[in-house]
Amino acid sequence: MTSSTSLSHQISSGLKYPSSICTSTNLLLLKSSSTSLNKKKKTSIIKGMAVALVSNAQTRERMKLKEMFQQAYQRCLTSPYEGLSFTLDDFHAAIQKYDYNSDIGTKVKGTVFNVDANGAYVDITAKSTAFLPLREASIHDIKHVEEAGIVPGLREEFVIIGENEYDDSLILSLRQIQYDLAWQRCRQLQAEDVMLTGKVVGANKGGLVAIVEGIRGFVPFSQLSSQLSAEELLDKDLPLKFMEVDEEQSKLVMSNRKAMADSQVQLGIGSVVTGTVQSLKPYGAFIDIGGVNGLLHVSQISHDRVSDIATILQPGDTLKVMILSHDRERGRVSLSTKKLEPTPGDMIRNPKLVFEKAEEMAQTFRQRIAEAEAMARADMLKFQPESGVTLNSDGMLAAVTEDLPAKSSDLDDIPNFPW
């Protein structure tokens, strides 16, 4: 205890170490201890200074942001549009560009971006996607919108016809626009008295239902020139002309008889035309000659007796016939192959030969007709000498030509000449 007390006294009185303590080893330990204390103190000081510096930097940043917000607030109050490239006029222009009217009947531009079996999805820059149902994609019956040329990327004008109550999306239509254009086209065709072709799709007690320009129209039976039944005309194409076009009443009335009468003006009696057998009846065959239905009566097929027409002709056969007569009022055309036979019975034995020599035989037939008319006129002159017309050396009227008979003539009434 005396030694410990003496050491404490010496340290407190000036660190006077006794010689027993001041050895080299003890002095080295004391120096190391003192150095360690100094390093810890310095580290503590450096950390404190670093914290102070970070704290000051954050404070300055906060002050800078606060100042910026204050400046921005002042600009909003005093000059809200200063330095902005997007002006108020630009804003109104953008609103005008992308604004749309969703009222039913409004026409809008849109771009198709997807299609499926039910229809097409269209971007019309509205709040939601618009939809074009399959039934509204075309005025014609289609099974997929692509049949009407509706594919992704197509930009078209549509009309709004409704709104989907589940998601507020708009329902569009192309059919309505095409329907309006079709009525306009029908009015134009009626004004120009143009003949067109309609497809028969149905019938009722009063007549046929035919589609023209994508619109269903009515053809009264009284306006048919064809002698075929309604069932036989189903799915057939008919030449038609408009009689009445009334879009407000959705009334479209057409005439096949009028179309036939006008087209038959170009059919010369005695001329040879190519036709297609449409149907066979016990009394003859109906032949389509360029949209006009003519009757090749069994008695006009050959000079020889024909017991069964089916042994000579079949539906779909192509043949050459001569026009004997036509009734424009009733829309009926009489045809003959008998007049084209090089020798009687060729139509039964060798119809190919008949068709090969059809034009040649028709020319010969027309010459004989002209000669017969000349002889008839000469006989008439015998009873009218005051007419001043004389016969030439060949016994023919000088003014007689080889023109065809008048349109009102009926070649079927002219007797056959001996071969």
Side-chain angles (χ1 to χ4, degrees), residues 103-123:
D103 294 338
I104 294 178
T106 301
K107 293 182 179 180
V108 293
K109 286 280 189 178
T111 302
V112 177
F113 66 88
N114 190 26
V115 298
D116 59 22
N118 298 318
Y121 297 89
V122 185
D123 178 15

Side-chain angles (χ1 to χ4, degrees), residues 288-302:
D288 176 18
I289 48 175
V292 179
N293 279 318
L295 174 62
L296 176 61
H297 195 271
V298 64
S299 64
Q300 286 296 329
I301 294 178
S302 176

Side-chain angles (χ1 to χ4, degrees), residues 347-366:
M347 193 59 198
I348 299 175
R349 295 186 299 269
N350 190 3
K352 183 178 179 180
L353 177 64
V354 177
F355 302 149
E356 288 177 351
K357 293 183 173 294
E359 283 76 11
E360 178 183 340
M361 296 304 300
Q363 179 65 23
T364 301
F365 187 75
R366 288 194 293 267

Side-chain angles (χ1 to χ4, degrees), residues 179 182-183 186-187 190 210 212 215-220 242-254:
Y179 191 72
W183 277 104
C186 289
R187 289 193 297 270
Q190 182 190 30
V212 291
I215 303 177
R216 287 175 174 261
F218 180 65
V219 184
F242 290 112
M243 297 179 62
E244 184 177 358
V245 179
D246 188 345
E247 182 179 358
E248 293 184 359
Q249 300 294 328
S250 296
K251 190 175 183 180
L252 196 65
V253 182
M254 298 168 290

Side-chain angles (χ1 to χ4, degrees), residues 20 82 108 115 152-153 177 245 294 320:
S20 60
E82 182 180 355
V108 293
V115 298
I177 295 178
V245 179
K320 289 184 177 181

Side-chain angles (χ1 to χ4, degrees), residues 80-87 90:
Y81 304 114
E82 182 180 355
L84 294 178
S85 60
F86 191 77
T87 65
D90 295 332

Side-chain angles (χ1 to χ4, degrees), residues 257-277:
R257 184 185 302 279
K258 187 174 186 297
M260 291 298 95
D262 292 344
S263 64
Q264 289 169 8
V265 172
Q266 302 175 359
L267 299 177
I269 296 177
S271 60
V272 176
V273 294
T274 300
T276 304
V277 179

